[in-house]
Amino acid sequence: MMHRRLAFIDTLRGIAVLSVLVQHVFEVIVEKHPTGAYYWPIHDVFGYYMNFGRFGVVLFFFVSGFVIPFSFPDSATPVRDFAISRFFRLYPAYWTSLIVGLVTMQLLDSKIYPLGQIAANVTMLQTFVNVPNLWVFYWTLAIELLFYFGCTILFAMGLLNRRFTAVTIVVAAALVGTTAALLVENRAVSSVMEVGLNLSAMFLGKIIRDTVIGGKLRWSHVAVCTLLYAIFAIALADRRFGGVYHENFFHSYSIAAAYVCAALVFIGFAVFGERMSWRPMAFVGVISYSVYLMSPFVIVFIHRLVWFGDGPLGWSIFLTLILALSILVSWMTFTYIEKPSIAFGQRFRSARRKKVVLEPALSTQGAAE
């Protein structure tokens, strides 16, 4: 079926990407400039008790879980058409980000990356072949690809939209992950469990969708799965990050809080639906993939070229300028790269088998967050 966009989902995307952007800006302020008496308040808000960057990323994961499992078209070749849709949704904007990043680092730092690393990153599969991301924020794309692959396998097996598939996955992941976090002191195991936690957030997003729109599940299912997911997140955050980390700036509290708060915020929005939509934030949500990919380089450029002084006024101007330029650049990327690429990809999809019907469901253009 053809789906229309839900404005509250785009609003959540906007909140998610701006949370990531603001986190990155304040990390630059605190880590690279003297903040005096403001150090601890900023440190506590953005490092010790809450990590808004991780909060935004996890919120994107919930959105993907809410959207992606329902993006397989009712066509003669749904798996092929899904893959084509995802390719043209993700890769052209991602390649643009790669080019912009390489040019930016060359201009500002005269930095040249190994050709093999660049080639691996072009595929977006670098994590799976143990090649470092060119830039750390690309790590989320590997999680998205894993989720797409998992959904494809479940769809092909006829299990994706079975009533209790997602519930079983979340419960099993939470039980295994929590047990491993509590009993196994091994960083490699903790890293694998972190991937499991991120995928759990996605499948929990599907459970919430099946409750508020599909009507296949009850709120009791959401409550139990959310509780187990929260316990998993808290236990793993303590084991994975072990208290303070990243030069004593972050604390495991902040990661656990990010996962739990993302779940609560997403549930709140899902309960009230379109009443939670806000047009300006929804606009940012529509271009959120480009904002996520392009804003880090805007931050680097602005920080290198101009500084407005230390203190609340200078920081506010710095943040405002980065927000404005990030949205402008991302709107251009969305308009001239993302939209044409998505439209071009539509040409390769097979015809639908059923009559097109509009329903209050979701856009097939899920976020890659």
Side-chain angles (χ1 to χ4, degrees):
M1 292 183 177
M2 181 183 295
H3 301 306
R4 69 177 179 85
R5 299 189 75 99
L6 284 176
F8 87 88
I9 289 293
D10 282 329
T11 300
L12 279 167
R13 289 188 179 107
I15 293 171
V17 79
L18 292 185
S19 296
V20 174
L21 194 158
V22 170
Q23 176 79 32
H24 289 167
V25 168
F26 275 94
E27 286 177 13
V28 169
I29 292 172
V30 172
E31 295 182 340
K32 298 184 182 297
H33 295 274
T35 52
Y38 296 99
Y39 175 81
W40 283 109
I42 297 175
H43 169 275
D44 288 348
V45 172
F46 292 97
Y48 203 82
Y49 294 110
M50 184 64 178
N51 187 313
F52 285 93
R54 184 61 66 100
F55 165 80
V57 165
V58 178
L59 204 53
F60 271 129
F61 291 159
F62 273 95
V63 169
S64 289
F66 199 85
V67 173
I68 296 302
F70 308 94
S71 297
F72 289 87
D74 186 15
S75 65
T77 56
V79 171
R80 171 184 173 275
D81 293 343
F82 173 78
I84 290 173
S85 173
R86 292 296 90 201
F87 177 86
F88 284 99
R89 176 71 174 90
L90 296 186
Y91 276 86
Y94 171 71
W95 288 333
T96 302
S97 172
L98 278 176
I99 294 171
V100 170
L102 290 170
V103 172
T104 297
M105 301 313 295
Q106 172 63 29
L107 290 176
L108 298 182
D109 289 334
S110 298
K111 187 169 184 179
I112 299 176
Y113 295 87
L115 184 60
Q117 184 182 8
I118 295 174
N121 275 255
V122 167
T123 69
M124 207 188 287
L125 303 175
Q126 60 272 15
T127 300
F128 306 109
V129 293
N130 200 31
V131 174
N133 292 303
L134 283 172
W135 297 283
V136 66
F137 63 92
Y138 284 168
W139 73 269
T140 63
L141 301 177
I143 304 299
E144 290 284 344
L145 291 179
L146 275 177
F147 184 62
Y148 297 167
F149 180 74
C151 286
T152 300
I153 295 299
L154 291 172
F155 179 85
M157 296 174 64
L159 297 175
L160 182 60
N161 289 312
R162 292 281 183 90
R163 186 182 182 193
F164 290 113
T165 297
V167 172
T168 301
I169 291 171
V170 171
V171 171
L175 294 177
V176 173
T178 303
T179 302
L182 295 176
L183 301 180
V184 181
E185 294 187 21
N186 183 286
R187 188 164 183 81
V189 172
S190 296
S191 297
V192 172
M193 290 302 102
E194 186 178 8
V195 173
L197 177 62
N198 292 325
L199 293 174
S200 293
M202 293 170 157
F203 281 105
L204 183 52
K206 182 184 185 302
I207 291 170
I208 294 167
R209 196 276 185 189
D210 283 339
T211 301
V212 299
I213 293 182
K216 294 193 295 184
L217 296 173
R218 300 177 180 177
W219 281 109
S220 57
H221 298 119
V222 174
V224 171
C225 289
T226 302
L227 177 62
L228 291 174
Y229 155 88
I231 294 171
F232 181 14
I234 293 168
L236 182 62
D238 182 65
R239 174 66 73 189
R240 177 82 169 89
F241 299 101
V244 295
Y245 64 102
H246 192 63
E247 298 179 353
N248 206 35
F249 183 74
F250 295 117
H251 195 281
S252 55
Y253 294 154
S254 66
I255 299 296
Y259 279 94
V260 175
C261 288
L264 296 178
V265 168
F266 190 84
I267 291 171
F269 269 72
V271 168
F272 293 100
E274 294 295 75
R275 286 173 289 178
M276 298 296 288
S277 64
W278 183 36
R279 182 172 295 180
M281 192 63 71
F283 166 76
V284 177
V286 170
I287 64 171
S288 59
Y289 184 44
S290 283
V291 176
Y292 184 80
L293 292 174
M294 304 303 294
S295 61
F297 306 118
V298 174
I299 294 173
V300 171
F301 255 110
I302 298 301
H303 183 246
R304 290 293 186 86
L305 299 179
V306 61
W307 184 247
F308 300 96
D310 297 316
L313 179 60
W315 301 333
S316 298
I317 297 174
F318 179 59
L319 174 60
T320 301
L321 180 60
I322 287 174
L323 285 171
L325 287 179
S326 294
I327 291 173
L328 175 61
V329 171
S330 301
W331 174 81
M332 294 174 64
T333 306
F334 175 79
T335 301
Y336 297 109
I337 303 295
E338 282 193 67
K339 283 183 67 177
S341 299
I342 293 169
F344 182 73
Q346 294 287 340
R347 302 180 183 181
F348 301 97
R349 298 175 65 178
S350 57
R352 297 180 182 275
R353 292 184 300 185
K354 293 184 178 181
K355 182 179 177 180
V356 175
V357 179
L358 290 174
E359 66 171 6
L362 304 171
S363 166
T364 59
Q365 298 176 9
E369 315 48 42

